[in-house]
Amino acid sequence: MPDKPLDRLPPLQLLAAFEAAARHLSFTQAAAERFVTQSAMSRQMRALEEELGVTLFERRHRALALTEDGQRLHAACAAALNSLRVAVRTVREPHQRQLLALTTTPGFASLWLIPRLTAFTRAHPGIDVRLDAGLGNRNLASEGFDLAIRYSPVGGAQGRQLFAESMLPVCSPRLVDELGLPLREPPDLARHTLLHLAMDGDSAGMPAEWEPWLGAWGLSDLRPAARLSFSSYAEAIAAAVAGQGVALGRRPLVDALLASGQLVTPFDTGIASARAYRLIVDPAARSRPAVKAFEQWLLAQCAMPAG
């Protein structure tokens, strides 16, 4: 029987499944993405290895790693699939509505972006927006996203900074009236409930999220009357609006709530954050009209005061 031609392609379905497994380094996660079972994904990878006559994965205890051949094939598959996505999108766009895929953090999405998105969709009725809100950094090219707005250290080299962040305590204007407890200067926080995002490093006393602000005002030893922690920043701010305690407001995320009077600053003692919001655009998507329109709109929104 003649040998197989060296450049004969394996079934494209196997190559697409391999790209997902290599990207996640997990047959379970790749299987969920491809809507198959974990055992089916494992069989597909065995079939691809048999087809190629090489080992693509090192199967370690509870972990996968790519072999040198696997790394080489993954780089080629990722590039080829991305080129196909760009080509398919280019073919579809003149005939269908444009889809804009954006990923960002849950707090930025719920507190800043979503309240403004209606203005964008009204101004661009032919563009549909797919918004992904999560804490992980998505791979734009391989996961099909056009843009990302990321929360990263000030001075980061990637992308364009939209705005820096400052932090200061915020609460409902009803809080002091309902509790009858003073909140006129920073030490008064010891009499109140502090609301915060649950973070690694939280101890029984001061929430880690509050450490930079309290430390800046010489209150590193402050112990609040109570603490309420939340899995997302938007939940902590919602609790502040409801009068359940004092949250650490991150501007500009809370600017609209301050402008509307739903939140107030009991004392004007803001400090600069070490983080900022940056816009990342996938180079392959930058020339798309929908991406250009959103980037221009976003930059204009960042320059506008809250109101």
Side-chain angles (χ1 to χ4, degrees):
M1 183 175 181
D3 292 336
K4 299 176 184 176
L6 293 179
D7 59 354
R8 191 185 80 172
L9 289 176
L12 295 182
Q13 182 178 359
L14 292 184
L15 292 175
F18 166 73
E19 190 281 328
R23 173 162 35 88
H24 289 292
L25 289 178
S26 165
F27 290 165
T28 301
Q29 294 180 39
E33 180 179 308
R34 301 281 298 169
F35 300 103
V36 298
T37 64
Q38 190 274 346
S39 59
M41 175 62 65
S42 182
R43 288 195 299 271
Q44 288 177 357
M45 294 304 95
R46 290 289 188 190
L48 180 60
E49 290 177 322
E50 291 175 4
E51 169 74 18
L52 296 174
V54 299
T55 300
L56 299 172
F57 294 95
E58 294 179 9
R59 291 161 173 82
R60 302 169 180 172
H61 180 63
R62 297 181 180 274
L64 289 176
L66 289 172
T67 64
E68 184 175 341
D69 287 326
Q71 293 173 13
R72 186 180 301 113
L73 184 60
H74 179 232
C77 286
L81 288 173
N82 186 54
S83 295
L84 284 172
R85 289 189 188 99
V86 172
V88 168
R89 180 183 289 165
T90 302
V91 170
R92 282 175 171 165
E93 275 187 346
H95 310 287
Q96 297 186 7
R97 297 174 62 85
Q98 297 183 67
L99 175 64
L100 180 83
L102 166 70
T103 178
T104 189
T105 65
F108 186 89
S110 60
L111 293 171
W112 195 93
L113 183 59
I114 290 174
R116 292 169 167 81
L117 267 182
T118 301
F120 176 78
T121 55
R122 284 177 179 170
H124 302 87
I127 301 175
D128 295 331
V129 178
R130 176 168 72 91
L131 177 60
D132 170 84
L135 296 177
N137 281 351
R138 297 285 199 173
N139 185 305
L140 301 189
S142 65
E143 298 186 61
F145 289 99
D146 300 304
L147 312 98
I149 300 170
R150 290 183 176 154
Y151 186 53
S152 57
V154 170
Q158 191 178 18
R160 176 173 184 168
Q161 182 168 307
L162 298 176
F163 32 60
E165 178 184 71
S166 62
M167 304 181 294
L168 76 172
V170 296
C171 64
S172 166
R174 308 189 311 270
L175 182 67
V176 174
D177 292 338
E178 292 179 358
L179 293 181
L181 298 173
L183 192 56
R184 292 184 291 270
E185 54 187 1
D188 291 337
L189 289 170
R191 307 183 186 192
H192 289 266
T193 297
L194 294 190
L195 312 172
H196 64 100
L197 179 66
M199 299 172 63
D200 292 339
D202 281 343
S203 63
M206 182 188 356
E209 183 185 6
W210 279 82
E211 284 182 359
W213 188 89
L214 289 169
W217 295 98
L219 297 171
S220 296
D221 294 331
L222 184 138
R223 295 295 180 266
R227 301 173 8 164
L228 281 177
S229 62
F230 301 87
S231 61
S232 77
Y233 182 68
E235 292 171 348
I237 293 302
V241 171
Q244 295 180 21
V246 184
L248 188 63
R250 297 181 178 274
R251 304 187 66 179
L253 298 194
V254 298
D255 280 1
L257 294 170
L258 291 170
S260 68
Q262 294 179 76
L263 290 176
V264 296
T265 56
F267 16 84
D268 189 12
T269 51
I271 65 168
S273 168
R275 304 183 75 83
Y277 295 89
R278 305 187 70 83
L279 174 65
I280 315 294
V281 182
D282 178 28
R286 185 173 289 281
S287 62
R288 295 182 57 223
V291 175
K292 289 181 178 179
F294 186 84
E295 184 175 10
Q296 293 171 1
W297 172 83
L298 181 65
L299 294 175
Q301 289 294 311
C302 291
M304 293 174 58

